[in-house]
Amino acid sequence: MKNFASSLLALWQQLGLNQRVSLIVATVVVAIGMVALVLWSRRPDYQLLYSRLSDKDSTAIIAYLQTQNIANQVSAGGGAISVPSDQVYKIRMDLAGKGLPSGDGVGFEIFDKGQFGLSDFVQRTNYLRAVQGELARTISQLQGVRAARVMIVQPENRLLLTEQGVRSTASVFVDLGGSRLEPDQVNAIRHLVANAVQGLAPDQVAVVDNRGHVLSEELRQDPTLGTASSQMRYKQQVEDYLGKKIESMLAAVIGPGNAVVRVSAEIETEASTMQQEKYDPEGQVVRSQTVTEDISNSSETRQAGAVGVSANVPEKTVNDTSARPVSTNEQNRKNRTTNYEINRTTTNITRTPGTIKNVTAAVFVAPRLAPAAGGAPTAAPVEQKRTPEELNALRQVVVNALGLRLAPGQTLESVVALQETSFAVEPISQQVQAIQSENRLQGWISVASRWTAVVAAAGVLLLFLRILAKQRPEPIPVEVLSMPADAATRSLQSGTNITPDMLNQLIRQKPANIGTALRDWAAAPATTKN
């Protein structure tokens, strides 16, 4: 091995400057070519994983590949992702388990291309698909929603036949992963879909999550409180409202966190209709009046006798009735009929469910904290109980805030149970110590994270210096060379130890040791040279 190295060194020394530069450049080019060839041979064969991805799906897939340390390539403006060919199917199954890609569906871009000759049914179907896709994209942007699908059912429009009982309905499927939606978010989804479809009411929108839970069932508006869930929800809303109202008022007086209020409300859940009629005889009025008047007259008339002798004969005059007088009677008669109407009051009362029948409250208040008797700033404060008058004043304030009216025989204590008791809280000193220890730990962590890189760099530097110190060059012994007799004779005659011929001969025999020999000879004392 040493002979081979010596031969290479000798060859290197025999080369000129240009030859040495050419040899170095050729060596570098060959090395770079070999490295490039090795890297190219180790380059994985990429295959398309998914294409035509949305920005949201592309971001989620790339984030997953980076967490798994999987090489990937992105093309087509971020819409296509390629991975090593031997991992394509495994990655697809893993992404399918995570719901990726979600697939936002088609939106109103379905109308970007002109399509002539389509029927009205196909056009209405495409419009419905576009609305569903746009709603799914919008819902997917809500916090906590990974993916969403919207299905809308609308009644068929007919010219002559119309079914009044058929209404539009919709259902929304949301993939939440491991999170959950708040009732306000579910209500927002219901109103979003209802306001995007004509004739659709929020109660006709069903929201279902990936676990099979119906999220919108408890949010349906039930004005009649016909179901038990509606009754309990309404009762809880009333109690929460009244409890927060009292608790916020007491917090401003006795301090935040020093009062706990729970309200129990009795709700009327039955609907009733009452019709009532009242008659007032004293309040009668004339409704109609009829007047009838009859008139009759009476008169007497006498007839004239016959002319001639017969009229003067007495006997004939007595027997003749036609000579008697005739009488006529005339009468007047009036009839009046008056109809009176009795005052009547008709009242129709309809009571809907939701009326608060009775309210009771339970209140816990914490005692007041007073300074210690010694007056030391570090001493813990002591609890000071309130007087019964103060507790009754607080109880009266709660009753007035709830709007309660005491029935005869009721007392404040029966309506509002107010009790003063100590709350189970940690002492202030322990809280302060916990906060100080936490702050101290965070400070040490921040300092350690700041100086970790510096310490690591210093350790690497010391390790390198230590390894470098151990790598000392081994001394090369100068071999004793057998010189010819004539060279030794010439050296003795000239009085010097080394002649030019001897030096040339040494270089030809051992070129690797000539440097060491010259260094040792130059460093030897003057007495040794002479």
Side-chain angles (χ1 to χ4, degrees):
M1 187 66 184
K2 292 182 178 181
N3 295 332
F4 179 72
S6 301
S7 301
L8 290 179
L9 183 58
L11 180 62
W12 177 261
Q13 291 177 354
Q14 293 178 3
L15 296 177
L17 180 60
N18 295 334
Q19 294 176 344
R20 293 180 180 180
V21 172
S22 301
L23 183 60
I24 292 173
V25 172
T27 304
V28 172
V29 170
V30 171
I32 293 175
M34 293 181 64
V35 172
L37 181 62
V38 171
L39 293 178
W40 181 82
S41 62
R42 296 182 60 183
R43 179 178 176 271
D45 182 18
Y46 285 95
Q47 186 177 348
L48 183 64
L49 179 65
Y50 289 112
S51 61
R52 301 178 63 183
L53 295 172
S54 62
D55 295 339
K56 182 178 179 180
D57 290 340
S58 179
T59 303
I61 292 174
I62 292 176
Y64 171 77
L65 296 177
Q66 290 178 353
T67 55
Q68 299 296 326
N69 295 326
I70 299 175
N72 59 86
Q73 288 183 347
V74 182
S75 58
I81 299 177
S82 301
V83 295
S85 57
D86 57 344
Q87 302 180 10
V88 171
Y89 302 105
K90 181 179 180 300
I91 295 174
R92 284 180 181 175
M93 289 188 293
D94 295 340
L95 292 175
K98 295 183 175 295
L100 295 175
S102 59
D104 294 334
V106 64
F108 279 104
E109 65 271 8
I110 194 175
F111 297 105
D112 292 344
K113 297 180 181 179
Q115 298 177 354
F116 297 98
L118 297 180
S119 62
D120 181 65
F121 174 77
V122 176
Q123 290 287 1
R124 285 188 284 107
T125 303
N126 289 339
Y127 175 76
L128 191 61
R129 290 177 58 196
V131 172
Q132 293 177 165
E134 294 294 338
L135 287 174
R137 293 175 181 177
T138 305
I139 296 173
S140 300
Q141 296 178 3
L142 296 177
Q143 185 178 2
V145 179
R146 295 172 52 183
R149 293 192 64 184
V150 180
M151 285 73 73
I152 300 174
V153 179
Q154 287 184 323
E156 184 178 357
N157 295 327
R158 297 184 180 180
L159 182 61
L160 300 178
L161 226 30
T162 304
E163 297 182 6
Q164 300 295 335
V166 180
R167 298 181 180 179
S168 300
T169 58
S171 58
V172 181
F173 173 80
V174 290
D175 184 4
L176 306 178
S179 60
R180 61 183 301 272
L181 290 181
E182 298 295 333
D184 294 341
Q185 294 176 301
V186 178
N187 203 22
I189 293 176
R190 294 171 61 240
H191 283 81
L192 175 66
V193 176
N195 287 277
V197 181
Q198 183 180 4
L200 183 60
D203 289 340
Q204 302 298 326
V205 180
V207 183
V208 184
D209 63 357
N210 55 329
R211 299 179 181 177
H213 298 161
V214 182
L215 306 179
S216 59
E217 186 65 25
E218 297 182 356
L219 298 177
R220 293 183 180 273
Q221 300 295 331
D222 188 4
T224 61
L225 297 181
T227 61
S229 60
S230 300
Q231 297 175 8
M232 293 300 297
R233 184 173 64 253
Y234 180 74
K235 184 175 183 296
Q236 183 180 3
Q237 292 176 355
V238 172
E239 292 176 350
D240 291 344
Y241 167 74
L242 295 177
K244 291 180 180 178
K245 179 180 178 182
I246 302 302
E247 194 167 345
S248 61
M249 182 183 63
L250 293 178
V253 178
I254 63 178
N258 291 327
V260 178
V261 181
R262 294 294 182 270
V263 177
S264 177
E266 184 179 356
I267 307 298
E268 178 65 44
T269 58
E270 296 181 357
S272 60
T273 302
M274 182 177 63
Q275 185 175 3
Q276 184 179 9
E277 292 185 2
K278 292 183 179 180
Y279 295 91
D280 185 11
E282 301 297 333
Q284 60 183 0
V285 293
V286 177
R287 181 178 181 181
S288 63
Q289 187 176 15
T290 304
V291 178
T292 304
E293 183 176 0
D294 295 335
I295 301 175
S296 61
N297 297 323
S298 177
S299 62
E300 182 178 356
T301 59
R302 185 180 297 270
Q303 297 180 355
V307 178
V309 178
S310 58
N312 296 320
V313 177
E315 295 81 7
K316 191 176 182 178
T317 305
V318 174
N319 295 328
D320 190 1
T321 57
S322 60
R324 295 178 181 178
V326 178
S327 60
T328 302
N329 297 325
E330 182 179 356
Q331 297 178 356
N332 293 331
R333 184 177 60 182
K334 289 185 178 181
N335 294 327
R336 177 177 296 178
T337 302
T338 303
N339 296 325
Y340 291 92
E341 186 70 27
I342 299 176
N343 187 15
R344 183 182 64 175
T345 302
T346 303
T347 305
N348 293 324
I349 301 175
T350 301
R351 294 180 179 178
T352 58
T355 305
I356 301 177
K357 299 171 60 177
N358 188 20
V359 176
T360 57
V363 183
F364 281 107
V365 294
R368 289 179 296 191
L369 297 179
T378 58
V382 296
E383 295 182 353
Q384 184 178 2
K385 296 292 184 178
R386 294 180 176 85
T387 61
E389 291 76 10
E390 293 176 341
L391 295 179
N392 287 331
L394 292 176
R395 189 178 290 108
Q396 183 64 46
V397 168
V398 173
V399 170
N400 294 337
L402 292 175
L404 299 178
R405 294 182 180 179
L406 299 180
Q410 271 189 333
T411 60
L412 294 177
E413 290 79 3
S414 62
V415 177
V416 177
L418 190 145
Q419 184 177 356
E420 185 179 17
T421 182
S422 300
F423 290 180
V425 296
E426 296 182 1
I428 299 178
S429 59
Q430 295 183 3
Q431 296 181 2
V432 172
Q433 291 179 1
I435 295 173
Q436 291 179 352
S437 60
E438 184 178 357
N439 294 337
R440 190 181 302 108
L441 180 60
Q442 292 180 356
W444 283 109
I445 291 175
S446 61
V447 172
S449 61
R450 188 166 51 249
W451 290 96
T452 298
V454 178
V455 173
V460 171
L461 181 60
L462 293 176
L463 181 61
F464 175 74
L465 294 177
R466 185 174 180 181
I467 294 174
L468 186 62
K470 291 182 178 180
Q471 299 294 330
R472 295 180 178 177
E474 299 180 358
I476 302 176
V478 180
E479 300 181 1
V480 180
L481 302 176
S482 58
M483 294 181 294
D486 54 352
T489 304
R490 289 196 299 270
S491 175
L492 292 174
Q493 292 177 356
S494 59
T496 59
N497 295 331
I498 298 176
T499 61
D501 296 336
M502 186 187 299
L503 184 59
N504 292 332
Q505 188 176 4
L506 290 174
I507 292 174
R508 285 193 299 269
Q509 292 181 358
K510 297 291 183 182
N513 296 335
I514 187 61
T516 304
L518 291 176
R519 184 175 62 252
D520 295 342
W521 177 76
T527 55
T528 306
K529 295 179 182 180
N530 295 328

